[in-house]
Amino acid sequence: GDSVTQMEGPVTLSEEAFLTINCTYTATGYPSLFWYVQYPGEGLQLLLKATKADDKGSNKGFEATYRKETTSFHLEKGSVQVSDSAVYFCALGEGRRALTFGSGTRLQVQP
Amino acid sequence: EAQVTQNPRYLITVTGKKLTVTCSQNMNHEYMSWYRQDPGLGLRQIYYSMNVEVTDKGDVPEGYKVSRKEKRNFPLILESPSPNQTSLYFCASSFSRATGANVLTFGAGSRLTVL
């Protein structure tokens, strides 16, 4: 079945550091890929998505490229801020099936 | 404001005492779903509904019930809660589930503790 694997956290960075959170997936078809973010005490909200190979999703300075050859969708940001501290979830959606989520990666950004 | 509203946000209860967590969305979404979030396990789907009167089991449905009598509401019912149902619960909705590209809108979560 479908699965998503994320790097374990927490990831602790200083403000303005470069961020990468790795995500790889297993799917039988051609899924759409998502990054959701969960700020403390809140529900998940969509950060970005990509629906086909080589698409790049971007939002709020975050980017991720759908790489079919490596089955990856790594999240990157060039300069993180304290306000980026949150839990980040990689997810895939295929057809009418439910989204499959990774286990989440907690990011802590220190001033 | 377009949103998914869950209540209660926090609840402590005892084993066996029936409870309902309500979920309502104001976006006229067809698809609604319940997830539970546990440390190290990500989000796992409990039940989902493609439309009014159409519900189906997700990955972890045991111990839960749902109903979809109206398009906007999708309550989660725990008939006889047990401690292993202590978790953070999220309701989510989307316009449809026709493709994998549909984006889910999540509620703020309901933290349930069963003693």
Side-chain angles (χ1 to χ4, degrees):
Chain A
D2 296 345
S3 67
V4 175
T5 302
Q6 290 181 236
M7 60 188 291
E8 289 193 19
V11 174
T12 303
L13 297 173
S14 298
E15 209 164 21
E16 299 184 2
F18 184 86
L19 168 71
T20 299
I21 300 178
N22 290 336
C23 171
T24 57
Y25 68 90
T26 303
T28 53
Y30 303 96
S32 295
L33 300 174
F34 305 83
W35 278 100
Y36 281 82
V37 59
Q38 183 181 28
Y39 297 104
E42 298 182 14
L44 282 73
Q45 55 186 272
L46 179 71
L47 181 59
L48 52 85
K49 75 174 189 179
T51 57
K52 61 182 187 296
D54 300 324
D55 269 1
K56 177 185 283 188
S58 60
N59 186 25
K60 299 181 181 178
F62 291 89
E63 293 183 340
T65 301
Y66 188 163
R67 301 281 189 206
K68 193 169 186 295
E69 63 276 14
T70 55
T71 61
S72 65
F73 193 55
H74 304 321
L75 182 68
E76 296 181 336
K77 187 175 185 182
S79 176
V80 294
Q81 306 299 313
V82 172
S83 57
D84 294 326
S85 297
V87 181
Y88 293 81
F89 290 91
C90 186
L92 73 83
E94 191 165 25
R96 294 166 67 86
R97 294 199 293 274
L99 284 186
T100 299
F101 286 89
S103 57
T105 302
R106 182 176 299 278
L107 170 65
Q108 298 173 334
V109 180
Q110 298 176 336
Chain B
E1 181 189 351
Q3 60 186 356
V4 176
T5 303
Q6 298 177 225
N7 280 296
R9 293 289 313 279
Y10 302 92
L11 179 63
I12 300 174
T13 189
V14 295
T15 299
K17 186 175 181 183
K18 180 179 178 180
L19 67 92
T20 299
V21 185
T22 63
C23 173
S24 179
Q25 51 90 7
N26 62 0
M27 297 165 283
N28 201 35
H29 283 172
E30 288 186 351
Y31 178 87
M32 298 185 75
S33 179
W34 277 102
Y35 289 85
R36 60 177 289 174
Q37 182 182 13
D38 300 292
L41 296 177
L43 277 77
R44 294 178 293 169
Q45 191 182 49
I46 303 170
Y47 268 94
Y48 65 95
S49 170
M50 291 291 192
N51 214 325
V52 177
E53 301 291 1
V54 181
T55 64
D56 211 343
K57 297 177 181 178
D59 297 321
V60 288
E62 293 79 19
Y64 305 95
K65 286 175 56 177
V66 293
S67 68
R68 188 91 181 273
K69 295 186 173 65
E70 306 163 284
K71 198 170 188 177
R72 62 183 295 128
N73 295 324
F74 190 47
L76 179 69
I77 303 157
L78 286 74
E79 293 272 2
S80 182
S82 61
N84 65 10
Q85 292 179 296
T86 293
S87 187
L88 179 58
Y89 291 87
F90 288 101
C91 182
S93 71
S94 67
F95 180 70
S96 78
R97 208 59 209 137
T99 77
N102 291 124
V103 174
L104 285 175
T105 300
F106 282 82
S110 297
R111 184 167 292 283
L112 171 65
T113 301
V114 183
L115 302 176

